[in-house]
Amino acid sequence: DAGITQSPRYKITETGRQVTLMCHQTWSHSYMFWYRQDLGHGLRLIYYSAAADITDKGEVPDGYVVSRSKTENFPLTLESATRSQTSVYFCASSEWQGQETQYFGPGTRLLVL
Amino acid sequence: EDQVTQSPEALRLQEGESSSLNCSYTVSGLRGLFWYRQDPGKGPEFLFTLYSAGEEKEKERLKATLTKKESFLHITAPKPEDSATYLCAVHYYSGGYQKVTFGIGTKLQVIP
C-alpha cells in the first residue's frame, strides 16, 4: 500500500543502547521529517531531509543521528539512548518543506528504561 | 519569541453543540497555517492549509478561518466521531530559515 510506514511501532530499550527507528514512504516525496511528541509539548522537529544525502538539524537534534541514502527511507538512530528520549516518534514527508502538506506515519512509541 | 498557542486545551461538547477552537501565533513571515486531526495512538492527519488572512476552507462539519494573528477551527453540529485532538502548525521564516512550529493541541470530546 502507498503511504508512510514506521517500524517498529513499539520499542523498549535500556539506557545506553543504540536504537534505530525506521521510516519508509512510497510517494517519492523530497522532504522527510522526524518529530517527537511529548505531553505538554507540541510536535518538535528533530531532523529533516530535503533529498537523499541532504539532512539538517531541527529544534531538538542532540542525541540523534539520521541518514538518507535513498529517497524513500529516513532512519533515525539514538546512538546511546537516555530516559529523556522516551517519547512517541513520528516520521513525516512532504513534497516541499512547509509549502505542502506533511503526511505523517503512525508513530513509534519508545520507552527507555 | 515565536509562539503558537492553542485554546482551549480540552473541550467537551454535546453532540450537535457547535463551537470553535483557537490557534493564535506570534510569528512573522507567515508562509502558511495547517490544521491536523490526531486520533489516539495515530499520527496527525491533514485537514487544511491556510495561506493568507481572510482565507476560509471547509470540510464536512469543519471550517477553518485565518486572520493576521489567529486561526479558528469551527465545528458545526459535531458528532462523536469528531472526537480527537486538533493540532495547528505554523510555517514561517525566522532568521533566514524556514520553520514549522506545532501547537500543543485541543482535545475535543463529543458526547452522544
Side-chain angles (χ1 to χ4, degrees):
Chain A
D1 289 342
I4 185 164
T5 57
Q6 294 182 236
S7 62
R9 294 294 313 281
Y10 304 91
K11 177 74 177 177
I12 300 174
T13 191
E14 295 178 339
T15 301
R17 290 190 179 266
Q18 183 179 82
V19 177
T20 295
L21 310 183
M22 304 301 294
C23 178
H24 176 78
Q25 53 106 352
T26 60
W27 293 302
S28 298
H29 283 167
S30 297
Y31 281 87
M32 296 188 75
F33 309 84
W34 274 107
Y35 291 90
R36 61 178 290 174
Q37 188 175 41
D38 305 287
L39 282 174
H41 293 276
L43 286 157
R44 290 182 290 175
L45 183 64
I46 304 170
Y47 269 95
Y48 68 98
S49 168
D53 298 321
I54 301 174
T55 63
D56 208 347
K57 296 178 180 179
E59 182 185 353
V60 288
D62 293 343
Y64 303 94
V65 175
V66 293
S67 62
R68 195 167 175 207
S69 57
K70 293 184 178 181
T71 299
E72 60 267 29
N73 296 324
F74 191 38
L76 175 74
T77 297
L78 288 66
E79 293 186 298
S80 179
T82 64
R83 290 191 181 89
S84 65
Q85 292 178 310
T86 292
S87 186
V88 182
Y89 291 85
F90 289 101
C91 178
S93 71
S94 71
E95 193 168 0
W96 301 100
Q97 181 191 27
Q99 296 176 15
E100 294 289 339
T101 305
Q102 289 191 29
Y103 296 92
F104 284 82
T108 294
R109 291 182 175 273
L110 176 67
L111 174 61
V112 183
L113 300 174
Chain B
E1 182 183 349
D2 299 326
Q3 279 195 332
V4 179
T5 303
Q6 291 189 246
S7 61
E9 290 186 7
L11 182 61
R12 198 175 186 198
L13 299 173
Q14 292 289 332
E15 184 173 1
E17 180 186 1
S18 301
S19 188
S20 296
L21 312 183
N22 178 264
C23 173
S24 64
Y25 56 93
T26 58
V27 305
S28 57
L30 179 74
R31 294 290 305 269
L33 185 142
F34 307 92
W35 281 99
Y36 290 86
R37 169 191 171 126
Q38 186 174 21
D39 293 299
K42 295 188 177 181
E45 176 188 347
F46 171 75
L47 293 173
F48 304 108
T49 306
L50 302 167
Y51 292 105
S52 57
E55 189 175 359
E56 298 183 353
K57 289 193 176 175
E58 289 188 64
K59 181 181 179 180
E60 297 180 353
R61 295 176 291 282
L62 300 177
K63 183 168 83 171
T65 62
L66 180 65
T67 71
K68 289 185 177 181
K69 293 296 181 184
E70 60 191 348
S71 176
F72 292 94
L73 183 65
H74 307 279
I75 303 176
T76 302
K79 297 182 178 182
E81 53 262 41
D82 294 322
S83 297
T85 296
Y86 291 85
L87 306 175
C88 77
V90 175
H91 174 220
Y92 59 102
Y93 278 109
S94 177
Y97 294 93
Q98 293 190 60
K99 294 186 177 182
V100 176
T101 297
F102 281 80
I104 294 175
T106 293
K107 186 174 182 179
L108 173 65
Q109 183 183 14
V110 182
I111 304 164

